[in-house]
Amino acid sequence: MARRRNASEISYGLVMGGLAVLALLILVGPVLVVLATSFTDSRSIRFPPEGFSIRWYALLLDAGRSRQIHRAAGNTLQVALVSAGLATLLGTAAALGLSRLAGRAGRAADAFLMSPLVLPGLAFGLAALMYFTLLGFRPSLELIIAGHLVVVAPFVLRTVGASLSQLDPALLDASLSLGASPLHGFRRITLPLIAPGIAAGAFLAFMASVDNVPVSLFLSSARTDMLPIRMWGMMESTLDVRVAAVSGTLVLAAFLLMLVMERFTGLTRRMRG
């Protein structure tokens, strides 16, 4: 009996381990392919790479020959910073409001505010373009920021809401009983305790804005070119290896930022919450 149990445990472990390795290959494999391709010596994107060279990273840093990429990256960074900042403020305020709203009304409000994560990105991008056009606005960075804000704010709402759910109400009750005002209790108790959730939400909102394609596709123009759209155009026209270099730079930057956020805010735990 013990021998059968051991055999079943071993087979179960082998199956689950194999599935885990397969999932890891599916998730990490494309990233490794892109990183390897970015160091190719060839003049076109090809895998496996022919030779080793950092020429494409050097060309990517050339302000003259990669001017359009730099401009698109600057626009993307500006939009991501502003939209993530606004999303942090609005998402935190919404999470605080929802924490006081119980019952069916609270669940309905939460579902409504989280709905941008469920809506198809292309449908929302087209709807945003039609809406802003009816209002008489032309594509601009401000419109892209507004579109990104709607899409990324739910990330902040979710992480801050998870932090608030772990907050002990007795702490605020004790501060009130000792004569502290609600504002003082929020500033000295609530805010420090939910600060990691706010930081994690801001990071997720920033990365979601940088990576957003549908909203940027519909709300951008030639003067407000965004990095994902520029990369897509380069892939369609010339298979420029600088696209792989840009991807490698983004992967490295995201990995380093994720390590920092995991160290100081427990990002993985906040996302599970």
Side-chain angles (χ1 to χ4, degrees), residues 72-88 117 124 141-156 200-217 219-220 224-229 231 250 257:
N75 290 337
T76 300
L77 184 61
Q78 179 182 347
V79 169
L81 288 173
V82 176
S83 61
L86 293 175
T88 301
L117 294 182
F124 175 76
L141 286 181
E142 290 75 15
L143 291 189
I144 299 176
I145 291 172
H148 282 207
L149 175 60
V150 176
V151 175
V152 304
F155 291 100
V156 183
F203 169 74
L204 293 175
F206 175 81
M207 295 307 301
S209 177
V210 170
D211 192 47
N212 188 283
V213 173
V215 176
S216 301
L217 179 65
L219 298 182
S220 64
T224 58
D225 195 13
M226 303 292 287
L227 186 59
I229 310 303
M231 294 172 64
L250 291 175
L257 287 174

Side-chain angles (χ1 to χ4, degrees), residues 17-87:
L19 292 176
V21 171
L22 179 61
L24 187 64
L25 289 175
I26 293 175
L27 293 174
V28 181
V31 177
L32 297 179
V33 169
V34 169
L35 289 175
T37 305
S38 67
F39 291 102
T40 184
D41 193 36
S42 175
R43 298 184 62 87
S44 62
I45 294 180
R46 187 178 303 171
F47 187 84
E50 297 179 356
F52 177 86
S53 175
I54 60 171
R55 57 183 291 196
W56 301 110
Y57 285 94
L59 183 60
L60 183 63
L61 296 176
D62 192 314
R65 301 177 65 180
S66 298
R67 181 175 60 255
Q68 293 181 331
I69 298 178
H70 292 180
R71 184 179 63 183
N75 290 337
T76 300
L77 184 61
Q78 179 182 347
V79 169
L81 288 173
V82 176
S83 61
L86 293 175

Side-chain angles (χ1 to χ4, degrees), residues 150-270:
V150 176
V151 175
V152 304
F155 291 100
V156 183
L157 176 62
R158 179 54 62 219
T159 57
V160 177
S163 297
L164 286 171
S165 66
Q166 301 171 8
L167 183 64
D168 188 358
L171 296 174
L172 294 176
D173 294 337
S175 67
L176 292 174
S177 66
L178 293 173
S181 65
L183 180 61
H184 185 79
F186 171 76
R187 186 170 58 87
R188 299 298 299 270
I189 298 175
T190 304
L191 189 59
L193 291 177
I194 66 173
I198 296 175
F203 169 74
L204 293 175
F206 175 81
M207 295 307 301
S209 177
V210 170
D211 192 47
N212 188 283
V213 173
V215 176
S216 301
L217 179 65
F218 283 101
L219 298 182
S220 64
S221 64
R223 298 178 59 184
T224 58
D225 195 13
M226 303 292 287
L227 186 59
I229 310 303
R230 168 58 53 183
M231 294 172 64
W232 181 263
M234 294 168 64
M235 282 292 296
E236 281 191 323
S237 58
T238 61
L239 288 178
D240 197 323
V241 187
R242 285 179 298 175
V243 174
V246 173
S247 301
T249 303
L250 291 175
V251 168
L252 178 61
F255 179 72
L256 293 177
L257 287 174
M258 187 176 64
L259 289 180
V260 172
M261 295 303 297
E262 181 65 30
R263 171 66 177 83
F264 291 103
T265 69
L267 179 63
T268 305
R269 186 176 69 255
R270 304 289 170 182

